[in-house]
Amino acid sequence: KVMKNDAKIRMNICEENMYMENIDVIDNRQKYFNYKTQMVRLKKAISSEYYLEALFIEYAIIEDRTEAILRYEGNSIKCKEGGFVSLDKKLNKISAIAREKKSLPNRYFDEEFIEEIRLWKTARNGMIHALMKKTVSTQEILEIVIHGENIVKKINRLSGNYKRAVERLMSNCSGGRYV
């Protein structure tokens, strides 16, 4: 079923999984505007103590940046038709390509940073699932939010630097091969 609206979002049902998929890929200018908007929202959410909103924004940015990192050099992850790729699978793929000592990703994404993201995700998910099962203090949530904010800043910086490095490398290519 295709829904016609401004966002041009298509809803699909695949077995028991429902997901949303963007039909149109936005241009770089719109993507930049979206990031600026989300970073402002993140800062406002933190300063207004809307920590759960901050966690949501942080996770969305990290998901998107890991996808972009894989896309820059044409890397991808196979998934079931109509499915989505989990953050864990993206991190595993980035880790695998970064392990190659002479690879470009090796210069930007060390295993320590990948593990930091994994640990943050585990803490975030554990806290989200515990919200209704135990008492979670505001301080506990804030610690996860601040850690996530630092990861977002770092992954934004690293993915931007990595993208520029890939573009420089590709501009030095001849016929699709590195020279």
Side-chain angles (χ1 to χ4, degrees):
K1 179 179 177 183
V2 176
M3 298 167 43
K4 295 186 180 195
N5 61 22
D6 292 338
K8 293 185 179 175
I9 301 291
R10 179 173 54 200
M11 301 282 293
N12 292 300
I13 299 174
C14 175
E15 297 175 34
E16 60 260 73
N17 296 332
M18 185 162 59
Y19 71 99
M20 298 176 77
E21 173 183 301
N22 285 327
I23 293 172
D24 293 336
V25 175
I26 60 175
D27 64 26
N28 288 337
R29 215 174 28 176
Q30 183 62 44
K31 185 91 167 185
Y32 176 79
F33 176 75
N34 286 353
Y35 269 96
K36 287 291 185 187
T37 300
Q38 293 310 319
M39 291 306 289
V40 167
R41 284 182 178 165
L42 178 57
K43 286 182 183 190
K44 283 183 181 179
I46 293 170
S47 67
S48 299
E49 298 182 7
Y50 294 135
Y51 300 138
L52 297 178
E53 180 176 349
L55 285 172
F56 179 80
I57 294 167
E58 290 168 350
Y59 196 87
I61 292 171
I62 293 167
E63 279 274 4
D64 183 75
R65 292 295 76 209
T66 54
E67 182 178 314
I69 290 163
L70 291 171
R71 198 174 48 244
Y72 293 146
E73 274 191 284
N75 289 292
S76 63
I77 299 174
K78 300 282 187 211
C79 62
K80 293 179 186 175
E81 187 175 327
F84 64 94
V85 179
S86 70
L87 181 57
D88 282 328
K89 285 185 181 179
K90 292 174 197 171
L91 291 172
N92 288 342
K93 180 75 170 190
I94 292 168
S95 181
I97 60 176
R99 270 190 233 116
E100 298 172 25
K101 295 292 182 197
K102 294 184 180 183
S103 73
L104 192 56
N106 179 268
R107 297 180 200 166
Y108 295 92
F109 310 108
D110 60 28
E111 193 58 43
E112 186 177 303
F113 182 55
I114 300 297
E115 187 60 23
E116 181 181 359
I117 296 170
R118 284 188 179 110
L119 290 172
W120 174 83
K121 181 193 74 78
T122 299
R124 175 222 175 250
N125 289 350
M127 187 273 308
I128 293 291
H129 292 287
L131 278 175
M132 301 308 291
K133 296 176 184 167
K134 70 175 197 164
T135 304
V136 179
S137 74
T138 301
Q139 186 60 38
E140 287 175 284
I141 299 171
L142 178 59
E143 288 172 12
I144 297 169
V145 167
I146 297 304
H147 189 200
E149 182 183 29
N150 292 331
I151 289 171
V152 163
K153 288 176 183 176
K154 185 172 182 177
I155 201 167
N156 278 342
R157 180 178 49 80
L158 290 175
S159 67
N161 291 345
Y162 177 61
K163 178 183 179 184
R164 286 184 290 281
V166 168
E167 288 169 345
R168 282 191 304 273
L169 187 62
M170 298 306 267
S171 70
N172 294 327
C173 287
S174 173
R177 295 181 172 223
Y178 299 117
V179 291

